[in-house]
Amino acid sequence: TRPFIENYCERHGYEFRVFTEDCMPADGHPAWNKLIVPSFAKTPHVVVWDADLVPMPWAPPIHLDLRPNQLGMVRIEPSSTGRMKLRARYGKKAGPALWFNSGLISVPHDYKSILRNLFFSSDYNESIFWEQGALNNFCYVNRIPVAEIDSRWNCWVSSRIEDEQIETQHALHFAKGSTRRMRNVGRMYRMLRLS
């Protein structure tokens, strides 16, 4: 996925940086690192972009869809099993409000320290969905407004993907841990090569 992301950034003049340092304790999931990444960036606005989120060659400049003074994520509904786990962890009242996928996070300068504090204050051992549940719950409990980013920037791919679906999305987020993911990546690659 890295060439796709690098090429996208180069096309639109964005600074590209790979974060490889693991700041997590040994028993923590490395996905939590994304909460601390923005504090290392020198740019006033950071977009944290997961490596399994693939921008399409026709994707427009993402900054046009972001708010310069508000945290931003794509709204995505958890599965029934996922929602049950989230409710068990955060309570029935908070459960329905856990809507945002953290594979793509728009982080203005004023929110860098907020995410950094969440990173250092979270209980990694009791987390659900790695950092996603904790980040959503933090926004809900603290009434932090989240600007919804167009869902075409984070199209969650878990079943067989069709060419027509690929052509209408800005970026595809490939579901983890299945042979279906590799098949979908292969279909995407073949379609892009032919076009």
Side-chain angles (χ1 to χ4, degrees):
T1 61
R2 178 167 172 166
F4 283 85
I5 301 171
E6 282 186 314
N7 290 340
Y8 173 76
C9 290
E10 185 177 349
R11 280 198 310 276
H12 297 295
Y14 301 138
E15 180 182 342
F16 173 79
R17 186 171 174 189
V18 176
F19 185 81
T20 56
E21 182 179 355
D22 189 358
C23 299
M24 287 301 303
D27 58 349
H29 193 282
W32 283 90
N33 281 316
K34 72 178 64 170
L35 299 180
I36 201 172
V37 166
S39 63
F40 293 111
K42 296 177 182 176
T43 54
H45 199 118
V46 179
V47 174
V48 181
W49 186 289
D50 279 9
D52 60 356
L53 181 63
V54 184
M56 297 294 95
W58 49 82
I62 192 171
H63 73 271
L64 300 176
D65 280 1
L66 308 180
R67 295 191 187 172
N69 57 355
Q70 201 168 331
L71 196 68
M73 288 183 279
V74 174
R75 181 177 286 259
I76 192 165
E77 184 173 357
S79 64
S80 56
T81 303
R83 188 171 294 286
M84 184 173 65
K85 290 180 179 179
L86 289 167
R87 282 178 177 158
R89 173 69 174 94
Y90 298 107
K92 188 175 181 180
K93 185 178 179 182
L98 303 174
W99 284 101
F100 294 103
N101 184 285
S102 56
L104 170 66
I105 311 174
S106 168
V107 187
H109 178 75
D110 291 345
Y111 286 88
K112 290 180 180 181
S113 60
I114 291 174
L115 295 188
R116 183 180 178 87
N117 292 339
L118 176 59
F119 175 87
F120 285 111
S121 65
S122 293
D123 186 344
Y124 309 114
N125 294 324
E126 295 182 18
S127 64
I128 296 292
F129 280 75
W130 303 297
E131 83 300 337
Q132 184 167 305
L135 178 57
N136 274 271
N137 188 61
F138 180 81
C139 292
Y140 174 74
V141 169
N142 294 281
R143 290 189 167 91
I144 294 176
V146 177
E148 290 186 32
I149 300 174
D150 189 324
S151 62
R152 288 178 295 177
W153 285 108
N154 195 339
C155 175
W156 187 250
V157 180
S158 58
S159 56
R160 177 183 168 91
I161 191 169
E162 302 299 332
D163 291 356
E164 296 78 23
Q165 184 182 9
I166 294 175
E167 292 165 0
T168 60
Q169 303 303 318
H170 298 335
L172 303 178
H173 201 157
F174 289 96
K176 187 176 181 181
S178 68
T179 54
R180 199 180 299 140
R181 169 158 95 165
M182 295 311 297
R183 289 177 188 157
N184 278 325
V185 170
R187 286 178 58 78
M188 179 200 72
Y189 176 76
R190 286 193 297 275
M191 188 277 287
L192 291 174
R193 187 176 60 180
L194 289 171
S195 65

